[in-house]
Amino acid sequence: MQKQWLKWILVVVTLFLGSTFIQKNVHADDSLQKVKQQGVLKVAVAPDYPPFAFQVNEHGHSKDVGMDIEVAKQIAKDLHVKLELKNMDFSSVLVAVQTGKVDLALGGINPTPERAQNADFSKIYYYGGQSFLINKTDVHKLKNQQSLAGQKVGTQTGSMQQTLAKKHLTKSKLVSMDKTTDLVLAVKTHKVDAVGVEKPVAQAYVENDPDLKMIPANYKLNKKETGFAVAMPKGATSLQTAVNQSMDRIQQHHLMPQYLKTAAKYMKVNTANTSMWHYWKYFFDGLKYTLLISVCAVAGGIILGVLLALMRLSNFKWLSWPAISYVEVVRGTPMMVQVLLVYFGLGILINIPALPAGIIAVTLNSAAYVSEIIRGGINSVALGQKEAAKSLGLSKSDALRFVVLPQAFKNIWPALGNEFISVIKESSIVSIIGVTDLVYELNVVRADTYRGVAPIVVVMAIYFLITFTLTRLLNYWEGKMKHD
């Protein structure tokens, strides 16, 4: 009965979101008019893909640069609007377009037929090509694409390279990762033998990292399959026409070679000083957001967790069933899926910025686990305590407030403390939607400096210091409770 009831809830929610999305897309195209009315062009980019999009440390602040960033600037200039960049994982940029979080998406995106089913594309603005990055120690063993047979080949999840590898490298062992920086580190540490990337990306890494070499990819591709285009929502014809005009202007004035030179200049700036101390501001900014998300999620999780625990303990099924269903759904699905659902799914109904969406998702997740901890704590209070409160004339609510809950929290303090620490670490998942927490900044620094391990060590040390300090504080308060 309960599972059937939960199934109907999920069906209704899915139908409602689907119908809302359809309604939002059946109206006459006003995509260009909306951008001009708002005065802002929102563009999704993945800033870990030099020379197309990456970040530099300029006067202690991160700045988005690269060929794609210059293209976005030109489009915004032609539309006479401000440019607002939304940083996120490459696997999320097209989803952001489809759900209306952004107006456009750039990031070395190939306009494949599969992608064209869910998004429209501009004219091609740059033709690249395909290559493989390899470790310099393997240069005598891996000389061409044919030599990759039987070897481990890495590609970025959802990329053109992944599709090509599945189709052509049938004798190779394929490995997919979300970030190019992770793939580069994997090839440098011999976790994979080669990494498929765009030719300009391979050249950028080889020129700035002496441990890497590149070999050509011999895919037989037509010209369109090697090109990059700007993605936009399906049916946004007026915006598409305006963007195409900018693409024509870029080609007519031969701006792409200038953009590539500008990107190369910034890449040299990044490699001039790759010490982690030089990037302290990045890690500090990431720490601030990590702590903000954790504090808000812990506070909200306790409030909502208490409410869910009381609902589940209620004798009324119309209160207990929703609480049970909520806990089961949250505990039965990965937090990454929940973060994506809050940010992109609810984006169909209301436009939630990345940071509030991340806080909401982590809070909702934590509340499910906290509610079970609190419910166990309430049940652990001796029945005699409740009867004593009743004999003293306390109402049920007063007994719960003054007798049961204080004792319950005392009993569950170690478990709650463990949940707090887990929230701090698990909140790192919000980096996939562009929240600039510690893990997000970690990947930015890795992409900027071409150093794979050092940024990881720094962030690991920061997380350890946070959790170690919090553990000591929780133990101190636990000791005080025992003596009270």
Side-chain angles (χ1 to χ4, degrees):
M1 181 71 177
Q2 178 187 324
K3 289 184 178 180
Q4 187 176 11
W5 182 79
L6 175 59
K7 187 186 297 183
W8 277 108
I9 287 181
L10 294 174
V11 170
V12 170
V13 170
T14 303
L15 291 175
F16 176 71
L17 291 175
S19 63
T20 305
F21 179 75
I22 292 172
Q23 289 174 9
K24 289 182 69 175
N25 287 276
V26 297
H27 297 298
D29 173 50
D30 58 352
S31 53
L32 180 59
Q33 181 183 351
K34 282 184 177 179
V35 171
K36 291 190 172 183
Q37 284 179 345
Q38 294 173 355
V40 177
L41 179 68
K42 298 177 181 178
V43 179
V45 294
D48 62 347
Y49 204 52
F52 295 103
F54 56 105
Q55 292 185 326
V56 294
N57 186 354
E58 192 171 83
H59 306 300
H61 297 281
S62 59
K63 176 183 177 182
D64 293 306
V65 295
M67 296 167 63
D68 283 344
I69 306 302
E70 296 300 319
V71 171
K73 287 179 179 178
Q74 183 64 50
I75 297 172
K77 179 182 177 182
D78 293 341
L79 295 180
H80 305 289
V81 296
K82 293 181 180 179
L83 175 63
E84 183 179 329
L85 297 173
K86 300 283 189 179
N87 295 334
M88 58 189 69
D89 279 2
F90 177 77
S91 58
S92 297
V93 294
L94 287 178
V95 180
V97 167
Q98 296 166 22
T99 55
K101 305 296 291 187
V102 296
D103 305 303
L104 304 174
L106 289 95
I109 302 174
N110 301 100
T112 62
E114 294 80 10
R115 289 171 176 167
Q117 294 177 8
N118 300 301
D120 285 338
F121 291 91
S122 69
K123 295 178 180 179
I124 302 294
Y125 63 85
Y126 183 79
Y127 292 95
Q130 302 297 323
S131 294
F132 293 99
L133 282 172
I134 62 171
N135 194 298
K136 71 174 184 179
T137 59
D138 296 328
V139 69
H140 299 295
K141 181 177 68 172
L142 306 175
K143 296 182 178 181
N144 50 44
Q145 181 176 316
Q146 287 69 32
S147 61
L148 296 178
Q151 306 296 320
K152 282 187 177 181
V153 178
T155 57
Q156 189 175 28
T157 304
S159 66
M160 176 74 165
Q161 292 73 37
Q162 185 183 39
T163 302
L164 292 172
K166 287 181 178 179
K167 183 178 180 181
H168 298 282
L169 303 180
T170 54
K171 295 181 180 180
S172 301
K173 301 173 184 177
L174 304 182
V175 178
S176 296
M177 297 184 186
D178 288 336
K179 293 185 176 294
T180 304
T181 48
D182 292 332
L183 290 165
V184 172
L185 179 59
V187 78
K188 290 177 68 174
T189 55
H190 296 283
K191 301 298 182 184
V192 298
D193 300 292
V195 174
V197 292
E198 303 286 350
K199 188 176 180 180
V201 177
Q203 290 173 332
Y205 273 101
V206 169
E207 289 175 3
N208 292 279
D209 193 329
D211 294 329
L212 298 173
K213 296 293 181 182
M214 61 184 287
I215 58 175
N218 301 325
Y219 300 129
K220 294 181 179 180
L221 306 174
N222 59 50
K223 194 174 182 181
K224 188 175 181 180
E225 289 178 306
T226 64
F228 304 140
V230 182
M232 61 203 72
K234 199 73 176 172
T237 53
S238 59
L239 182 59
Q240 184 182 41
T241 300
V243 172
N244 281 336
Q245 291 174 355
S246 294
M247 298 302 101
D248 292 337
R249 188 172 290 105
I250 289 172
Q251 297 301 328
Q252 290 168 6
H253 293 85
H254 306 287
L255 296 178
M256 287 309 298
Q258 296 180 29
Y259 295 164
L260 182 56
K261 287 181 180 178
T262 302
K265 180 186 71 174
Y266 280 119
M267 290 169 71
K268 292 298 181 183
V269 171
N270 274 3
T271 55
N273 186 352
T274 60
S275 70
M276 293 299 98
W277 181 250
H278 183 65
Y279 286 85
W280 73 268
K281 188 69 165 56
Y282 284 59
F283 296 119
F284 181 69
D285 289 342
L287 174 61
K288 288 191 296 185
Y289 280 106
T290 294
L291 293 177
L292 174 63
I293 294 167
S294 301
V295 170
C296 292
V298 166
I302 290 176
I303 295 171
L304 185 56
V306 171
L307 180 62
L308 288 169
L310 296 178
M311 288 174 63
R312 186 160 184 178
L313 291 170
S314 173
N315 294 324
F316 299 103
K317 289 186 177 181
W318 59 273
L319 283 176
S320 61
W321 282 14
I324 294 171
S325 301
Y326 175 86
V327 171
E328 292 300 324
V329 169
V330 170
R331 294 201 305 179
T333 54
M335 188 189 289
M336 178 185 290
V337 176
Q338 296 163 19
V339 171
L340 294 174
L341 178 63
V342 171
Y343 185 58
F344 293 116
L346 293 184
I348 297 173
L349 304 176
I350 181 173
N351 189 13
I352 307 176
L355 179 59
I359 293 174
I360 291 171
V362 178
T363 299
L364 294 177
N365 180 275
S366 178
Y369 292 92
V370 170
S371 70
E372 289 299 278
I373 294 173
I374 293 174
R375 184 173 69 90
I378 292 174
N379 288 334
S380 70
V381 176
L383 183 61
Q385 295 290 317
K386 301 174 185 177
E387 292 176 347
K390 186 177 180 181
S391 66
L392 290 173
L394 294 177
S395 64
K396 193 172 183 179
S397 59
D398 286 340
L400 182 67
R401 178 183 174 187
F402 296 110
V403 178
V404 178
L405 283 180
Q407 294 187 57
F409 270 98
K410 190 174 181 179
N411 294 339
I412 64 175
W413 186 253
L416 275 180
N418 186 60
E419 175 62 20
F420 299 162
I421 293 172
S422 295
V423 167
I424 292 174
K425 294 181 292 185
E426 293 172 358
S427 64
S428 61
I429 200 70
V430 300
S431 62
I432 62 173
I433 59 173
V435 178
T436 54
D437 71 329
L438 275 170
V439 171
Y440 178 91
E441 298 293 1
L442 154 69
N443 289 311
V444 169
V445 174
R446 290 172 67 196
D448 288 355
T449 61
Y450 303 95
R451 297 183 65 181
V453 178
I456 296 176
V457 173
V458 171
V459 169
M460 186 171 72
I462 294 173
Y463 270 114
F464 174 76
L465 288 174
I466 297 172
T467 56
F468 181 80
T469 303
L470 181 58
T471 300
R472 300 282 77 77
L473 288 173
L474 291 171
N475 289 344
Y476 171 76
W477 285 107
E478 183 181 352
K480 286 199 68 175
M481 287 181 180
K482 288 181 179 179
H483 291 93
D484 289 343

